[in-house]
Amino acid sequence: MTSVCGVRSAAEVNPLSHRVGATVRCPAALLPVSMGDEPVGEGPGGEGPGGEGPGLLDEALQRWMTWDQNHWTRVQVESLVASGQFEDLRSRLCSRMSFGTAGLRAPMGAGFNRINDLTVIQSTQGLVSYLSRFMADVSSRGVVVGFDTRAQEESGCSSQRLAKLTAAVMLSRDVPVHLFSTFVPTPFVPYAVRKLGAAAGVMITASHNPKEDNGYKVYWCNGAQITPPHDKEILRSIEEQLEPWSASCWDEGLVERCSLRTDPLTKINSCYMDELASLCFHRDLNSSCPLKFVHSSFHGVGHVFVQQAFQIFGLAPPIPVPEQKDPDPNFPSVRCPNPEEGESVLELSLLLAERENARIVLATDPDADRLAVAEKSDGCGWKVFTGNELAALLGWWMFFNWKERHPDPADTKSIYMLATTVSSKILQAFAHVEGFHFEETLPGFKWIGNRMHELSKTGNTVIFAFEESIGFLCGSMVPEKDGVSSAAVVAEMAAYLHNKSLSLNQQLHNIYQTYGHHVSRTSYVVCNDPSTIQKIFSRIRNFDGEGSYPKSCGGVRIVHVRDVTTGYDSSRADLRSVLPVSSSGHMITFTLQNGVVATLRTSGTEPKIKYYTEFCAAPGKSGRVCCSDVSSLEEELSTVTAALLNDFLEPERNNLIRRFI
């Protein structure tokens, strides 16, 4: 097949490179004889080079040196061989990445289980092959490709380069590519998939992960992230064609020459901002709002887009944190680029807000799909809202404004709010009182996005959705969490409440008085050893004998257990979980006799075990809960949370790293 974009030979791209697909042995000096005698373990799911048996590390190494065209990652492998670091080589070469809650995500660098030129090319080949089999019109619909601002000098990897290579693979098979010409927020890719009617979308990002990481996020034609069976089938398709198709797959300049490549930036940015206006409910108040806002983009993509969003809402532009306004892949001013970590990473934002007499701080993570919010307290200090608290405010706000425009109670029968199962049950409390629908999904916004699509097909509308890890979606303009739109919505809500002489925190307590106080705790421990994680969860599943889960936590009886990994739910007559079984990670939920709900789960993007607890109290008489009652709830929840961590996870015995706050 002759590509309209002109597939080129390896010699044309790089006359000195190995011929793609040729049998090229690694230099003998780089292959000690002893390497082939060591058994190599199979990667997760049995993917890629791996499996038990002698010589497989040699085979994986030879494949890498045969296929990889990136000078920097080749040098990394050669250096590891020369220095005899075979365990590191096994880790890098003898397993492959698998799709987690946010697609493929791993450190950048050489190796089949890292993010680099070769693995991105392989992943894209698998995606294109799967799309070609699944969608007859992929060659007319095309694929959207976007990227953030990450880069790593030592591996020669950057999000922009990886996006261009992603596009090059597609163009080499005559698949049109809508490649953004500059960095964009992650939600722009799924928004563009739907707006352009594309077959799929790819976003190169690792969101809020450490600077060493990058990722490959895949969206289906409905704009939502892929879920089973697509993720497993794409992985299988990747494994079927690991060898790069042609030298053109390595030619990032192809995107500048090929007529099948278009740049959707201007159109998508304009359409997105126009649609964003539908979430603005009180523009007349916004223009006269005396509140000042500070915004940090955490060295990522968010600055220019949040500024535009404020303009759409008629709000004065937020004051940017100068040290964090411009993209920088090294994230030099924060110890980690995750605003979810709270006050410890918001220091520069809070200091600027103090100097500027700004009451609200907004922080988007590096790819601008998450949002953290802090408010100046009336006394002193700052209130940094948790994801659950901010969801209570945004959920209330979205329904309040929806009801203003839909006074007929019957209309509530077609609206929904969604949340992941590890998030607060506050939206459920809203739904019980107000009469709309509420549903839970598995953790990860991909489940929310796909459920939104299913509901829309039956004439229903999702007006708000969230996950506790500061991921929010107001309205339904994009089936993905969106820090840009959420920042503008929070600002307008704060302006409206200020006009009513209320702060965000005061309104949060008003919500609790009406719908019941919800106290929650969310944290994590770090575990870099997968076998330790397996041991921890195996112990929990056999805590009181084989096949017997724990019977109490913190001295409180456990009345129900739900294990989504195995599909078990003791609260159901058939003992089967309503939520889909998910064997890609561990997740066990305990319901206690005192009403506390506690969950342990492994992260789909980082080496963490997360734990969540929540106490949901019904409103007292006349809907009021006194301060002593709240303190009692918090004390009881703290006891259960400590037991969940210390008795079930055993951090010291298992060498777990506790969260640094």
Side-chain angles (χ1 to χ4, degrees), residues 554-611:
V556 182
R557 188 167 73 89
I558 294 172
V559 294
H560 296 302
V561 178
R562 181 184 64 198
D563 189 339
V564 174
T565 308
T566 64
Y568 171 74
D569 188 342
S570 68
S571 70
R572 307 278 302 174
D574 59 3
L575 302 181
R576 294 181 179 179
S577 172
V578 174
L579 290 173
V581 175
S582 177
S583 58
S584 60
H586 297 279
M587 187 171 81
I588 304 175
T589 299
F590 306 95
T591 302
L592 278 61
Q593 192 171 36
N594 61 359
V596 170
V597 178
T599 297
L600 295 169
R601 66 174 281 258
T602 50
S603 170
T605 59
E606 298 170 281
K608 295 176 178 178
I609 302 175
K610 296 186 173 184
Y611 54 96

Side-chain angles (χ1 to χ4, degrees), residues 69-189:
Q69 302 280 327
N70 180 309
H71 167 74
W72 299 104
T73 46
R74 289 177 64 85
V75 166
Q76 284 184 346
V77 169
E78 290 170 355
S79 176
L80 289 171
V81 174
S83 59
Q85 298 184 53
F86 303 133
E87 287 305 315
D88 195 353
L89 282 166
R90 283 188 185 86
S91 169
R92 291 169 177 264
L93 296 173
C94 294
S95 63
R96 294 193 65 82
M97 298 173 288
S98 59
F99 285 100
T101 55
L104 302 173
R105 195 173 290 184
M108 289 179 277
F112 292 114
N113 73 344
R114 302 285 199 272
I115 294 289
N116 51 64
D117 290 5
L118 178 56
T119 55
V120 163
I121 287 171
Q122 292 174 328
S123 299
T124 306
Q125 289 181 169
L127 175 61
V128 169
S129 295
Y130 182 66
L131 289 174
S132 298
R133 293 197 301 269
F134 204 89
M135 297 183 188
D137 56 354
V138 64
S139 293
S140 60
R141 299 173 70 175
V143 178
V144 176
V145 179
F147 56 93
D148 67 9
T149 60
R150 288 177 177 258
Q152 186 184 69
E153 186 175 352
E154 55 264 37
S155 65
C157 291
S158 70
S159 292
Q160 183 175 33
R161 172 177 168 80
L162 296 175
K164 287 182 176 181
L165 293 178
T166 298
V169 172
M170 296 174 180
L171 295 171
S172 76
R173 289 297 171 99
D174 293 340
V175 174
V177 178
H178 312 284
L179 172 66
F180 285 97
S181 56
T182 188
F183 55 80
V184 291
T186 286
F188 270 41
V189 169

Side-chain angles (χ1 to χ4, degrees), residues 365-534:
D365 67 345
D367 68 328
D369 66 347
R370 298 172 188 250
L371 175 72
V373 178
E375 181 180 56
K376 180 74 172 175
S377 299
D378 290 334
C380 59
W382 289 83
K383 162 69 176 176
V384 181
F385 294 95
T386 68
N388 287 330
E389 290 171 335
L390 198 50
L393 285 162
L394 285 169
W396 162 79
W397 177 250
M398 293 304 295
F399 184 73
F400 168 75
N401 286 287
W402 183 91
K403 195 161 60 171
E404 289 283 302
R405 288 154 177 75
H406 302 83
D408 185 352
D411 290 343
T412 61
K413 299 303 180 184
S414 64
I415 67 166
Y416 280 72
M417 291 193 188
L418 306 177
T420 59
T421 188
V422 295
S423 301
S424 173
K425 313 303 178 190
I426 187 65
L427 299 187
Q428 187 176 57
F430 289 179
H432 283 323
V433 174
E434 304 295 349
F436 60 81
H437 298 279
F438 169 74
E439 287 187 8
E440 287 186 331
T441 71
L442 287 172
F445 230 88
K446 63 183 181 181
W447 301 102
I448 289 177
N450 279 283
R451 184 57 183 150
M452 286 175 60
H453 176 68
E454 292 300 315
L455 289 169
S456 70
K457 291 192 295 187
T458 54
N460 296 296
T461 303
V462 175
I463 63 170
F464 179 66
F466 88 104
E467 59 184 6
E468 53 73 36
S469 53
I470 60 172
F472 312 103
L473 174 61
C474 300
S476 54
M477 59 184 282
V478 55
E480 177 65 289
K481 54 185 175 288
D482 186 351
V484 175
S485 62
S486 296
V489 172
V490 167
E492 181 180 64
M493 175 172 57
Y496 176 88
L497 291 170
H498 182 78
N499 190 57
K500 303 290 185 182
S501 301
L502 289 169
S503 66
L504 291 174
N505 198 33
Q506 286 171 333
Q507 179 57 24
L508 178 64
H509 285 281
N510 290 340
I511 290 168
Y512 288 154
Q513 298 295 352
T514 303
Y515 300 101
H517 211 95
H518 287 60
V519 184
S520 60
R521 299 280 185 274
T522 301
S523 195
Y524 61 81
V525 291
V526 175
C527 182
N528 292 301
D529 180 16
S531 65
T532 297
I533 293 176
Q534 187 66 34

Side-chain angles (χ1 to χ4, degrees), residues 533-556:
I533 293 176
Q534 187 66 34
K535 182 181 71 173
I536 288 170
F537 280 90
S538 177
R539 173 178 173 268
I540 293 171
R541 293 187 177 102
N542 301 279
F543 200 85
D544 288 320
E546 187 174 351
S548 177
Y549 294 86
K551 293 181 173 58
S552 66
C553 182
V556 182

Side-chain angles (χ1 to χ4, degrees), residues 102-390:
L104 302 173
R105 195 173 290 184
M108 289 179 277
F112 292 114
N113 73 344
R114 302 285 199 272
I115 294 289
N116 51 64
D117 290 5
L118 178 56
T119 55
V120 163
I121 287 171
Q122 292 174 328
S123 299
T124 306
Q125 289 181 169
L127 175 61
V128 169
S129 295
Y130 182 66
L131 289 174
S132 298
R133 293 197 301 269
F134 204 89
M135 297 183 188
D137 56 354
V138 64
S139 293
S140 60
R141 299 173 70 175
V143 178
V144 176
V145 179
F147 56 93
D148 67 9
T149 60
R150 288 177 177 258
Q152 186 184 69
E153 186 175 352
E154 55 264 37
S155 65
C157 291
S158 70
S159 292
Q160 183 175 33
R161 172 177 168 80
L162 296 175
K164 287 182 176 181
L165 293 178
T166 298
V169 172
M170 296 174 180
L171 295 171
S172 76
R173 289 297 171 99
D174 293 340
V175 174
V177 178
H178 312 284
L179 172 66
F180 285 97
S181 56
T182 188
F183 55 80
V184 291
T186 286
F188 270 41
V189 169
Y191 179 82
V193 168
R194 294 210 302 188
K195 182 61 65 174
L196 301 175
V202 174
M203 178 68 185
I204 307 295
T205 180
S207 190
H208 58 282
N209 272 41
K211 66 179 182 179
E212 294 82 10
D213 292 357
N214 215 326
Y216 187 95
K217 212 169 187 178
V218 180
Y219 295 89
W220 199 239
C221 58
N222 61 9
Q225 288 182 61
I226 57 170
T227 55
H230 298 310
D231 52 359
K232 304 301 182 189
E233 291 300 318
I234 291 170
L235 279 177
R236 184 175 289 109
S237 184
I238 292 169
E239 292 170 36
E240 290 170 353
Q241 44 225 318
L242 294 174
E243 182 178 330
W245 286 333
S246 71
S248 289
C249 295
W250 295 92
D251 185 5
E252 61 180 304
L254 190 60
V255 300
E256 310 300 337
R257 304 190 304 272
C258 185
S259 61
L260 291 178
R261 181 270 172 128
T262 58
D263 176 13
L265 180 64
T266 300
K267 176 179 179 178
I268 293 304
N269 187 62
S270 176
C271 291
Y272 175 92
M273 293 300 167
D274 286 347
E275 270 193 69
L276 184 60
S278 67
L279 298 177
C280 178
F281 306 112
H282 303 278
R283 189 180 175 88
D284 53 332
L285 289 177
N286 296 344
S287 59
S288 58
C289 174
L291 283 180
K292 288 184 179 180
F293 301 88
V294 161
H295 172 241
S296 170
S297 55
F298 267 57
H299 301 288
V301 309
H303 168 68
V304 64
F305 299 100
V306 170
Q307 294 274 323
Q308 289 182 60
F310 268 57
Q311 184 178 2
I312 292 294
F313 273 56
L315 291 157
I319 304 165
V321 178
E323 300 93 334
Q324 299 172 341
K325 176 174 69 72
D326 298 322
D328 188 330
N330 292 313
F331 309 117
S333 70
V334 290
R335 62 175 180 80
C336 73
N338 184 1
E340 188 185 358
E341 294 293 325
E343 197 163 346
S344 64
V345 294
L346 296 174
E347 182 180 5
L348 290 176
S349 301
L350 300 179
L351 287 172
L352 177 62
E354 293 278 6
R355 291 197 302 270
E356 296 287 345
N357 195 30
R359 287 193 61 85
I360 305 290
V361 165
L362 306 165
T364 48
D365 67 345
D367 68 328
D369 66 347
R370 298 172 188 250
L371 175 72
V373 178
E375 181 180 56
K376 180 74 172 175
S377 299
D378 290 334
C380 59
W382 289 83
K383 162 69 176 176
V384 181
F385 294 95
T386 68
N388 287 330
E389 290 171 335
L390 198 50

